[in-house]
Amino acid sequence: MNKQDQLKMIKEDFINCQKVLLAIGDETRQAILLVLMGTDCQTGLRVGEITEQTHLSRPAVSHHLKILRDAGIILMRKEGTKNFYYINVRSELDLLKTLVLDIDTFMQNFYVNDGISEG
């Protein structure tokens, strides 16, 4: 694959990752993800439990959970009137792996081999 084809592929990767990058780029959402990662993926946490662990308001937690859900990073399980949030193990985060791998391949093909050394 030539340089232009690889750049086109990386551009598509960036487009595919936009929602995920925006969602995980926020420190508050990163804190929520860390809290969710610290729990059992199958059980999940309720908004109140996330609020306690992050010291955020319930409306703030709900707002950030919606963004993470819309990006496909977390899922919600209903149990009666209760909602439990957990990390989506088959999430869009895989798109980030593809982006990073494609960038790494590009750098290996067109920069490392060009004699440009790392500082």
Side-chain angles (χ1 to χ4, degrees):
M1 187 178 297
N2 69 32
K3 191 173 191 175
Q4 290 307 316
D5 289 340
Q6 282 194 357
L7 285 172
K8 185 186 282 188
M9 186 170 61
I10 291 168
K11 181 179 180 180
E12 289 174 20
D13 291 343
F14 273 120
I15 291 167
N16 292 336
C17 289
Q18 282 180 343
K19 272 189 171 183
V20 173
L21 289 169
L22 284 169
I24 66 172
D26 181 88
E27 278 185 58
T28 301
R29 290 189 283 277
Q30 291 167 11
I32 291 170
L33 285 172
L34 288 169
V35 166
L36 290 173
M37 283 186 241
T39 65
D40 178 15
C41 282
Q42 299 305 313
T43 308
L45 291 175
R46 298 184 61 211
V47 172
E49 296 168 312
I50 298 168
T51 299
E52 288 173 14
Q53 293 189 44
T54 59
H55 307 292
L56 297 166
S57 69
R58 287 180 72 89
V61 169
S62 294
H63 168 74
H64 290 293
L65 288 172
K66 181 182 179 347
I67 292 169
L68 291 167
R69 279 185 69 201
D70 289 348
I73 298 168
I74 65 170
L75 296 172
M76 181 188 72
R77 175 178 56 83
K78 279 190 165 294
E79 203 172 280
T81 59
K82 299 174 183 176
N83 297 329
F84 294 87
Y85 297 89
Y86 58 97
I87 299 288
N88 180 4
V89 293
R90 292 181 189 79
S91 79
E92 301 297 316
L93 291 173
D94 283 341
L95 295 172
L96 292 178
K97 284 190 231 175
T98 302
L99 171 63
V100 171
L101 289 172
D102 287 346
I103 290 172
D104 185 57
T105 300
F106 178 86
M107 297 304 286
Q108 293 294 322
N109 290 342
F110 299 106
Y111 285 91
V112 174
N113 294 332
D114 284 347
I116 299 172
S117 63
E118 295 178 16

